[in-house]
Amino acid sequence: MYPGPIVRSFLQIRQTVSKSNIHTLGACFAAVKKTSAAGGVMGLGKGKKKAGKLTTMEKKVLPVETDPEKLVNYVCGSNIYTTGEDVKIKDDSEYPEWLWTLRTEPVPIEQLDPNTKEYWLRVRAAGMKRNNKLRSLRKF
């Protein structure tokens, strides 16, 4: 029989060879699972949060046009560039006729054809509004 230390060293070599796959050419990488103190995986939003400074939010004051002459004669806010001026409003006769016949309000559901997709989308939206309103009125 073999002496004890030789058998142990042979077994250690055999275990290391069997653990490593000598037939793969590429390197093998294993993902390490790191956990935080709270028990969740790091970076998934669980765990202790650092307390930030509690400061009051300052309201931004946006510039609003108050000149009535400019409000009547120009489309305020239409110029997105730093130079130039807003679009000047023309006379009604200079615009095409179809512009004045455009519908600006939605068609009532009663006037829509039930065989169209628009009708059923509107019915579904009305049902969801009704359910949300009823759910908000519940006491618990």
Side-chain angles (χ1 to χ4, degrees):
M1 288 297 278
Y2 295 105
I6 295 175
V7 172
R8 275 188 244 122
S9 64
F10 176 72
L11 289 175
Q12 288 174 352
I13 292 172
R14 185 175 171 199
Q15 288 173 352
T16 56
V17 169
S18 65
K19 285 181 183 176
S20 65
N21 192 354
I22 57 176
H23 297 293
T24 58
L25 298 174
C28 295
F29 298 101
V32 179
K33 182 179 178 182
K34 296 181 180 179
T35 58
S36 66
V41 177
M42 292 290 282
L44 292 181
K46 295 183 179 179
K48 295 181 181 178
K49 305 280 186 201
K50 293 183 180 179
K53 295 180 181 177
L54 296 176
T55 59
T56 58
M57 296 290 292
E58 292 184 21
K59 250 188 182 177
K60 287 187 178 180
V61 179
L62 298 175
V64 178
E65 187 62 52
T66 55
D67 181 23
E69 186 68 28
K70 194 167 185 180
L71 288 170
V72 170
N73 294 323
Y74 292 92
V75 181
C76 296
S78 62
N79 182 25
I80 59 170
Y81 301 108
T82 55
T83 59
E85 61 180 21
D86 292 330
V87 176
K88 186 164 177 45
I89 297 176
K90 301 175 186 178
D91 292 330
D92 290 350
S93 61
E94 295 186 38
Y95 292 105
E97 285 299 319
W98 58 264
L99 183 64
W100 310 114
T101 61
L102 288 176
R103 187 180 9 243
T104 57
E105 294 180 7
V107 179
I109 294 178
E110 295 82 24
Q111 293 180 3
L112 292 175
D113 181 25
N115 295 327
T116 60
K117 187 173 184 178
E118 182 184 4
Y119 172 81
W120 290 106
L121 289 175
R122 295 272 300 276
V123 168
R124 182 174 182 262
M128 287 193 303
K129 284 179 189 175
R130 180 181 173 273
N131 287 340
N132 290 339
K133 181 70 174 173
L134 291 174
R135 182 164 287 158
S136 69
L137 296 175
R138 287 197 304 186
K139 290 185 179 180
F140 53 90

